[in-house]
Amino acid sequence: MTSKPDDLQARLLQALGAVSTLLEQENTLLTAGQWQDVEKLLPRKRELMQALHKLLPAAKAQPLTAEQRSAHISPETEAAFNHFNTLVRANDTLLQSAMAAQDTLIKLVLEDAVQEQRTGYGASGGYAMGAHTNALALRSDV
């Protein structure tokens, strides 16, 4: 069963619209730093992207020249693809920034934890700094 070009374009427009709406929402959440809410969108994002992916092979079955493309692809579909591509680029940039921020936060927490392990009370009961300080150094009789 083959799809009519108009039917395929309508389904592509619908799929692109759904994915674009979700990407806009995700980009807003990423900009606001609401990473947990972004994570909640992931199952729906996968679902929508799979639906779009299923439509694209049918759309690419016959490569078109620029003239054929302009004759076969509506301006609305072309605009939807352009908007989608813009959102994907922005989403990629925002996700990279979020991952860098999380990486920095994790490094700061780990560095702080390591620093805390280096400081403590020495065998004599005084405050000590150094890599050799550990729980056994707290008691001189052990």
Side-chain angles (χ1 to χ4, degrees):
M1 183 167 133
T2 59
S3 297
K4 296 181 204 173
D6 290 340
D7 182 43
L8 178 58
Q9 283 192 54
R11 290 184 302 160
L12 275 171
L13 275 172
Q14 182 180 8
L16 283 168
V19 173
S20 293
T21 298
L22 186 125
L23 285 173
E24 288 169 348
Q25 182 180 6
E26 184 174 313
N27 290 350
T28 299
L29 292 170
L30 285 167
T31 301
Q34 297 175 334
W35 300 327
Q36 288 85 7
D37 293 333
V38 171
E39 186 178 350
K40 293 175 188 174
L41 295 176
L42 191 55
R44 179 73 177 144
K45 184 178 181 181
R46 284 187 182 130
E47 178 185 319
L48 292 173
M49 290 301 291
Q50 286 175 348
L52 180 61
H53 183 70
K54 287 178 184 177
L55 292 173
L56 290 177
K60 294 191 292 187
Q62 300 173 347
L64 303 174
T65 65
E67 295 83 22
Q68 289 173 325
R69 192 176 76 222
S70 65
H72 292 294
I73 296 177
S74 71
E76 295 85 14
T77 303
E78 185 127 10
F81 271 112
N82 290 337
H83 182 63
F84 171 76
N85 288 329
T86 300
L87 289 170
V88 167
R89 284 190 297 276
N91 187 259
D92 182 57
T93 300
L94 290 167
L95 285 170
Q96 294 296 326
S97 294
M99 288 188 296
Q102 286 182 338
D103 186 49
T104 301
L105 180 63
I106 289 169
K107 285 179 182 178
L108 288 172
V109 168
L110 290 176
E111 184 177 304
D112 190 46
V114 168
Q115 182 64 28
E116 284 184 22
Q117 289 178 354
R118 290 186 194 140
T119 60
Y121 292 98
S124 64
Y127 192 67
M129 290 184 70
H132 64 280
T133 305
N134 55 36
L136 295 177
L138 294 176
R139 295 185 53 198
S140 61
D141 63 333
V142 177

